[in-house]
Amino acid sequence: QRAGHHNFRAAARVAKIAAALASSGATAQAQTPNAAANVAKPRLVAASGMRDGAWRAALVIDLPQGAHTYWRNPGDAGVAPTFDFSGSANLAGAEAFLPAPTRMREVDGEALGYRDRALFFLRVRPANGAAPVRLALKLDYAVCEKLCVPARADLALDLPATATDDALTAQAERMVPRVVSADQAVAISTVGAGEWRIRPRMDAQDLFVEAPEGYFAE
């Protein structure tokens, strides 16, 4: 990680999205974020029963074949998903856990994200454990094929759910990266002022670095 200015490729990517839509002769309606909702299918599912005072749920985004969406650190260019649960009822808090991404080559560099399907585990804590929860999610994300388009979905799920999917929710939970201490995971050596080299210490297939505000990772 090296101290420095932010990478502005993501902002440039958004500008290219708008330019591509304009040059294609798309209508004003087609340029709205909801346009991509016609090709992607996000939905909420839940497991039966509570665990440790919380409901377990999952956000599933089924994408067109070959399409992808992004991780919370989208890479050289892209749009990270955002989760807004503010419209929920009887909710003390909701957390979205993202699985490890894959690396994908794009025109603007390397992206980090998910192809075909994105599966995010949700932990939902009720304000009153004896009352049902109305989980409402405003989701903003991007769907990328030959072009990237912004997408928005308004989803809702009542907990306890009348229909549950324990298998899919359990799969989402298993995909959450486990937490290990830094000395177990990586070896860090100083290269120069404000610069470090990080090497995997475990038998890892890949290493994804999330830098704090004001830093970036090469």
Side-chain angles (χ1 to χ4, degrees), residues 8-133:
F8 290 100
R9 290 184 182 175
R13 183 63 175 274
V14 173
K16 288 182 181 180
I17 291 171
L21 285 169
S23 64
S24 68
T27 65
Q29 183 177 2
Q31 295 179 47
T32 65
N34 284 324
N38 296 324
V39 295
K41 298 177 181 179
R43 56 194 171 98
L44 294 172
V45 299
S48 55
M50 300 177 72
R51 181 198 295 165
D52 299 326
W55 294 103
R56 290 164 294 134
L59 167 65
V60 188
I61 306 176
D62 287 313
L63 300 160
Q65 185 175 4
H68 66 268
T69 190
Y70 295 99
W71 188 41
R72 58 177 176 259
N73 171 12
D76 293 325
V79 180
T82 61
F83 309 87
D84 180 1
F85 297 100
S86 60
S88 302
N90 189 35
L91 182 69
E95 298 174 274
F97 299 89
L98 279 64
T102 57
R103 297 183 185 273
M104 301 173 289
R105 297 301 303 174
E106 291 188 331
V107 174
D108 294 324
E110 184 179 68
L112 304 178
Y114 315 96
R115 289 194 185 280
D116 301 329
R117 167 177 278 187
L119 186 57
F120 305 143
F121 178 65
L122 306 177
R123 187 172 185 271
V124 182
R125 295 180 293 106
N128 178 1
V133 172

Side-chain angles (χ1 to χ4, degrees), residues 57-58 97 99 119-122 167-176:
F97 299 89
L119 186 57
F120 305 143
F121 178 65
L122 306 177
L168 194 55
T169 305
Q171 180 185 353
E173 187 173 14
R174 287 194 303 270
M175 292 169 65
V176 176

